[in-house]
Amino acid sequence: MTRYADIPKPIRSGIVVVDPDRGTPQRVIVLQFNPDTLERSVSPQTAGDSGDASGGGAGSGDRNEALRLKGPAQETWKFTAEIDATDQLEIAAPDGIHPQLATLEMLVQPTTAQLRAAMRLAQKGTIEISPIEMPLTLFTWGSKRVMPVRLTELSINESAFDVNLNPIRASLSIGMKILTVSDLPVGHRGADLYLAHLAQKERLAAAARGGSLGSLGFTGTNAVTGRG
């Protein structure tokens, strides 16, 4: 008979805000429920459009660049996260889920201190003010998916409230872009983390079972190589 104590607790997905200089976690955001689905899009950075650049084809790209890549593929993730205070009745929530929502919203907002500093520079007549740099953000989905990201979408649907109109239940549509070595400065900690993420993909790909040409209906290699 299986006891509840013998059932392993599921690993939660989440977001880690990291100091890019020291590499120390500044905040850990654990998603209350793991999303049921993940939508991922991977777009290669090709050096040129594929196609025939001369007669007989409609392509307009350089045929010498058809199989070349300019850099890492651009990858985006989308998922829906749920936050529900009624599922955690043992935890006091005088503000409902305001704190959880605010924590996620601050991932795409500069702080008041940063804005005031920029305003002071503007009042002093500074012509060019550098954009405000946010902390390094990592998204984790188990030990095999830890990657630097930038949030590109945060849509919040609040669906229940307490008597003080504090939200107590909400679903969030979250979109993010994986940051690669093409997006980050050379030597940035996020670039190293992306390389570690890519190396993990390489290890997983190497562990996949290879197929055979026979499964595809070929009896030899000539039909694939174009010889014979």
Side-chain angles (χ1 to χ4, degrees):
M1 181 177 178
T2 303
R3 297 176 301 174
Y4 287 113
D6 297 330
I7 301 175
K9 294 181 64 176
I11 294 175
R12 297 296 182 192
S13 56
I15 297 171
V16 183
V17 180
V18 178
D19 184 316
D21 297 322
R22 299 180 179 86
T24 54
Q26 294 179 321
R27 181 181 289 273
V28 178
I29 303 171
V30 180
L31 297 184
Q32 186 178 356
F33 307 103
N34 286 331
D36 293 328
T37 60
L38 289 173
E39 179 184 345
R40 300 195 298 125
S41 174
V42 183
S43 303
Q45 288 197 74
T46 55
D49 296 328
S50 60
D52 189 356
S54 60
S60 60
D62 184 348
R63 67 181 68 187
N64 295 321
E65 304 292 333
L67 299 179
R68 296 183 184 275
L69 296 173
K70 293 186 295 185
Q74 298 295 305
E75 184 173 355
T76 59
W77 286 44
K78 289 184 179 181
F79 58 89
T80 300
E82 305 287 341
I83 304 177
D84 192 343
T86 62
D87 190 64
Q88 298 176 324
L89 294 177
E90 71 281 3
I91 301 175
D95 299 316
I97 59 173
H98 270 310
Q100 294 94 320
L101 295 178
T103 299
L104 289 168
E105 291 178 60
M106 288 308 300
L107 295 177
V108 295
Q109 291 272 20
T111 65
T112 54
Q114 290 171 322
L115 290 174
R116 288 195 175 105
M119 292 168 63
R120 285 194 294 269
L121 289 175
Q123 288 175 344
K124 292 179 180 178
T126 303
I127 298 176
E128 184 176 350
I129 300 175
S130 300
I132 296 171
E133 182 173 355
M134 299 298 289
L136 176 62
T137 304
L138 306 180
F139 180 65
T140 70
W141 186 273
S143 60
K144 296 179 178 61
R145 288 172 169 172
V146 180
M147 62 218 103
V149 299
R150 181 179 68 238
L151 263 66
T152 57
E153 176 187 344
L154 180 59
S155 177
I156 303 170
N157 181 13
E158 300 175 1
S159 57
F161 305 86
D162 63 16
V163 294
N164 296 316
L165 291 184
N166 294 311
I168 58 175
R169 185 184 305 121
S171 61
L172 303 91
S173 297
I174 298 175
M176 55 183 61
K177 177 185 184 297
I178 309 302
L179 297 178
T180 73
V181 292
S182 298
D183 303 309
L184 297 164
V186 176
H188 194 281
R189 190 175 301 273
D192 294 334
L193 289 166
Y194 171 76
L195 289 175
H197 169 63
L198 186 60
Q200 178 72 300
K201 283 182 181 285
E202 293 170 354
R203 288 190 291 269
L204 292 172
R209 284 186 59 184
S212 65
L213 292 175
S215 300
L216 303 177
F218 299 114
T219 56
T221 60
N222 289 346
V224 176
T225 60
R227 298 175 180 176

